[in-house]
Amino acid sequence: MVAVYGVANLLQSVAAARTTLHHTFDPGLLLRLAGHRSYLVGVACQMLGFVLAFLARRDLPLFLVQASVAGALGVTALLGVLVLKWRLPAAEVLLLVLLLVGITALVLAAKPAPSRQLGTAGVVALVAALGVIGGLGFPAVRLHGAPGSVALGALAGLAFSAAAVAARPLASEHSFDAFLRDPLLYLLITHSIVGQLLLGLAMQRGSTTAAVAAMDAAGAVPAAIVGLLLLGDRIWPGREWLAGIGFLVTLAAVLGLTRYAEPQHQHVLLPDQRGHRRPEPHGQRPAAGRPGRTGAPALGPAAPPALGPTVPPVLGPAGAARSPAGQLAAGWRRRTTRS
């Protein structure tokens, strides 16, 4: 499960870096991301990891499953270094090691137990949480850089945390008919879609590590609290201290990664029709010879040289080179003045 989620994060990050940066909370981003094969493979890996996590939540407490999902961040970082040549600062490497230590402590402290049912109040709370997360997504999408990655990643984590809370009792259903009739199933699907959209927006803003770390931090705490208080999650007697230390170390490592993570990719900016800079997918450039209205030179391969003799440029009063048309106009003005 951990390895599958790690591969999914990496592949989705690659696709997000190649998609035009979005500044609105637009579900159409998912359709644009789906145009990249790497994103589709990443989603397939995430669905496999989701199924494995769903089966694990049948008996394992949420604080363990959510912390294990956070461990996928280490797999993502390792693959990024090996495959995409990411450069991780020393602080980030140390925090990844602490993340592994914290998850190990939680594994030793968690006691398997079936889940209790959530009840009508819990279902209503999940519906309300969906509205709150969606509402906060509209202002958060206007943030740029690391703050945007962290804010949108945290909202994605809250959505996935709500999905995990819905999945814990849902996994205990004994019949397929009851499984389909349970409203938790549809809340699980809706929260997952919203979380997926928010995660894609977060990854576009530069730092995959910061986005995923913020998602894991925001996703672990609420699910762990709800699981212990309402769903019957258990800790082995005498190991409460180990669970507490493990959870705090894991949370501190994830929060630290949101602080020290450096951008692994950035979008190329192009001039738009309003004279501002608009983002373009990483690795793509506009066609040559089509500058914006601001007069900024177009990026991309140089246009082929014109046939015929080359007219040397003439410098204007400010020392700026004039075009051939400008030279002809200047000569015409001089002749008119002399006459």
Side-chain angles (χ1 to χ4, degrees):
M1 177 186 71
V2 175
V4 171
Y5 269 126
V7 174
N9 291 335
L10 182 72
L11 293 175
Q12 292 178 65
S13 168
V14 171
R18 297 174 178 173
T19 306
T20 304
L21 184 63
H22 276 230
H23 299 283
T24 58
F25 192 43
D26 182 11
L29 173 63
L30 295 178
L31 297 178
R32 294 179 178 88
L33 288 172
H36 298 276
R37 184 179 303 176
S38 59
Y39 185 77
L40 296 177
V41 176
V43 170
C45 291
Q46 185 164 353
M47 292 179 64
L48 176 59
F50 176 82
V51 171
L52 295 174
F54 182 82
L55 296 176
R57 292 185 184 107
R58 180 186 303 173
D59 296 313
L60 296 178
L62 285 179
F63 68 82
L64 173 59
V65 178
Q66 296 305 106
S68 299
V69 171
L73 181 59
V75 178
T76 302
L78 179 61
L79 291 175
V81 171
L82 296 178
V83 179
L84 301 181
K85 308 304 179 184
W86 289 354
R87 294 182 179 180
L88 301 182
E92 193 168 337
V93 175
L94 176 60
L95 289 170
L96 289 172
V97 173
L98 289 177
L99 180 63
L100 178 62
V101 172
I103 293 174
T104 302
L106 290 175
V107 170
L108 296 175
K111 180 181 180 180
S115 172
R116 292 200 296 259
Q117 292 302 309
L118 195 58
T120 304
V123 173
V124 173
L126 289 177
V127 174
L130 182 62
V132 172
I133 294 170
L136 293 175
F138 288 97
V141 80
R142 301 180 182 274
L143 299 176
H144 305 283
S149 292
V150 172
L152 291 166
L155 289 175
L158 291 176
F160 288 130
S161 180
V165 170
R168 175 86 161 108
L170 183 64
S172 300
E173 291 287 357
H174 298 290
S175 67
F176 186 70
D177 182 62
F179 179 83
L180 293 178
R181 288 187 290 104
D182 197 323
L184 292 176
L185 171 62
Y186 305 99
L187 283 171
L188 168 64
I189 295 173
T190 307
H191 274 286
S192 298
I193 293 175
V194 172
Q196 193 67 30
L197 173 59
L198 289 167
L199 179 59
L201 291 167
M203 286 181 170
Q204 282 195 318
R205 276 144 181 82
S207 177
T208 299
T209 308
V212 177
M215 177 188 71
D216 291 335
V221 177
I225 294 175
V226 172
L228 290 170
L229 295 180
L230 302 177
L231 300 180
D233 289 356
R234 296 288 181 264
I235 300 172
W236 287 108
R239 298 183 185 177
E240 291 82 3
W241 64 273
L242 184 61
I245 292 177
F247 190 81
L248 290 177
V249 169
T250 301
L251 183 61
V254 170
L255 290 175
L257 286 169
T258 66
R259 169 63 178 83
Y260 291 103
E262 295 182 353
Q264 287 96 21
H265 56 75
Q266 60 183 2
H267 287 76
V268 179
L269 296 178
L270 299 175
D272 64 7
Q273 296 180 348
R274 298 175 184 174
H276 302 292
R277 304 290 287 179
R278 69 176 176 86
E280 189 72 12
H282 178 71
Q284 296 184 11
R285 295 172 181 261
R290 297 178 62 185
R293 293 185 181 178
T294 59
L299 299 176
L307 299 177
T310 302
V311 180
V314 178
L315 296 180
R322 290 177 178 171
S323 65
Q327 296 177 38
L328 294 176
W332 181 83
R333 284 197 298 271
R334 285 194 297 269
R335 289 193 298 270
T336 304
T337 302
R338 290 172 184 173
S339 63

